[in-house]
Amino acid sequence: MRTMRWIRKNLVVIAGLLTLAYMILPNLVVMAFSFNKPKGRFNYSWQEFSLDAWKDPCGVADMCESLSLSLQLAAWATLGAVLLGTMIAFALVRYRFRARGSINSLIFLPMAMPEVVMAASLLTLFLNMGIELGFWTVLIAHIMFCLSFVVTAVKARVMSMDPRLEEAARDLYASPTQTFLRVTLPIAAPGIAAGALLAFALSFDDFIITNFNAGSTVTFPMFVWGSAQRGTPVQINVIGTAMFVIAVLMVMAGQIITNRRKKTATA
């Protein structure tokens, strides 16, 4: 009886931990197999512990080139989506204009539309316009589908802002530029940062839209897909593990900074 009571009392916590374990398990498998030394082409069964792949992460031809390309695409797509998305979010929240409701609804269209439909539509557009497929077509496509996620994140933050703070800044003779830089932007920064991180992850990870519009350009997800047909090199697991660890460290650092700010504000 005590056991059942304890389970009922902590059911939500148990369900949360099980869900978290289910989500993290694939990453742990990738991490473990980054230290494997397979005997054949495929890195699907454990053979023996080895650090060879970690000592030479770029030992596979063209892998680091595709990784560098994906990072560049993700960085530029994030920058473009954040700049456009932040302005769109402020416009939708702060201003009243014709077709505002329609634009508000259309913003969510890329999020709801299947990727293969968007990929084929963009490919048709580029071909009809005579644009050569490559880095720039992929970048345009990435900015387009990342834009919706940035607008959603920033818009939610802007809607929760207290307008009295900006009014107080103006009452203290702050110029519009000073008010934006010292009051509005710092308050909106968490939403902008969340949108930027989401855009970077989505752009780096995308395969379907990129595959349709890349031409001869090969990004890291495309390289992984191609390698899986011939045999997955261990270095792919090394890159995946490194990125997972970096993401976890960034989240932990953000949480630590947030907690310190809360303590400072309370004190």
Side-chain angles (χ1 to χ4, degrees):
M1 291 296 293
R2 290 182 179 179
T3 304
M4 292 302 297
R5 288 177 184 173
W6 183 86
I7 292 175
R8 280 198 220 86
K9 184 178 180 181
N10 299 279
L11 186 60
V12 175
V13 177
I14 295 171
L17 292 175
L18 289 175
T19 304
L20 184 63
Y22 176 75
M23 294 172 62
I24 293 178
L25 183 60
N27 297 288
L28 298 179
V29 172
V30 169
M31 189 179 298
F33 276 84
S34 68
F35 297 99
N36 187 30
K37 187 175 183 179
K39 293 182 179 179
R41 294 183 303 162
F42 298 97
N43 185 28
Y44 298 150
S45 59
W46 182 264
Q47 300 296 330
E48 61 177 296
F49 182 85
S50 175
L51 292 173
D52 293 345
W54 282 93
K55 293 177 182 177
D56 189 17
C58 293
V60 180
D62 299 327
M63 191 186 74
C64 282
E65 287 79 1
S66 65
L67 175 63
S68 175
L69 180 62
S70 285
L71 291 173
Q72 291 177 47
L73 277 168
W76 285 111
T78 300
L79 180 61
V82 166
L83 290 176
L84 293 174
T86 301
M87 290 188 288
I88 292 172
F90 271 93
L92 291 174
V93 174
R94 296 291 180 85
Y95 299 97
R96 300 290 181 269
F97 51 89
R98 288 184 179 181
R100 177 173 173 268
S102 301
I103 294 174
N104 229 339
S105 302
L106 289 173
I107 285 295
F108 294 95
L109 193 59
M111 300 171 65
M113 184 184 298
E115 283 195 38
V116 67
V117 176
M118 185 184 296
S121 301
L122 286 168
L123 176 60
T124 303
L125 174 65
F126 293 139
L127 292 178
N128 287 336
M129 295 180 66
I131 300 175
E132 184 180 356
L133 300 180
F135 178 89
W136 294 107
T137 55
V138 175
L139 180 59
I140 292 170
H142 282 206
I143 292 175
M144 182 173 292
F145 73 76
C146 288
L147 191 61
S148 298
F149 295 92
V150 175
V151 171
T152 302
V154 178
K155 184 182 170 186
R157 183 66 179 177
V158 175
M159 290 178 67
S160 65
M161 291 173 57
D162 189 349
R164 291 175 296 182
L165 296 174
E166 293 170 303
E167 293 174 3
R170 288 192 291 268
D171 289 342
L172 294 172
Y173 305 103
S175 66
T177 303
Q178 290 176 321
T179 302
F180 178 78
L181 293 177
R182 296 188 179 184
V183 179
T184 308
L185 189 59
I187 296 175
I192 297 173
L197 291 174
L198 189 57
F200 186 90
L202 289 169
S203 175
F204 181 85
D205 185 59
D206 183 76
F207 173 77
I208 297 176
I209 295 176
T210 304
N211 191 40
F212 271 71
N213 299 280
S216 59
T217 303
V218 179
T219 61
F220 186 67
M222 294 173 66
F223 177 85
V224 173
W225 171 257
S227 298
Q229 313 304 311
R230 305 183 300 270
T232 309
V234 184
Q235 282 81 355
I236 289 177
N237 297 61
V238 172
I239 299 299
T241 300
M243 298 198 69
F244 174 71
V245 172
I246 291 171
V248 171
L249 291 176
M250 289 179 64
V251 171
M252 292 176 63
Q255 192 63 43
I256 291 171
I257 292 172
T258 302
N259 292 337
R260 285 183 177 178
R261 285 180 177 177
K262 287 182 179 179
K263 289 180 180 179
T264 304
T266 304

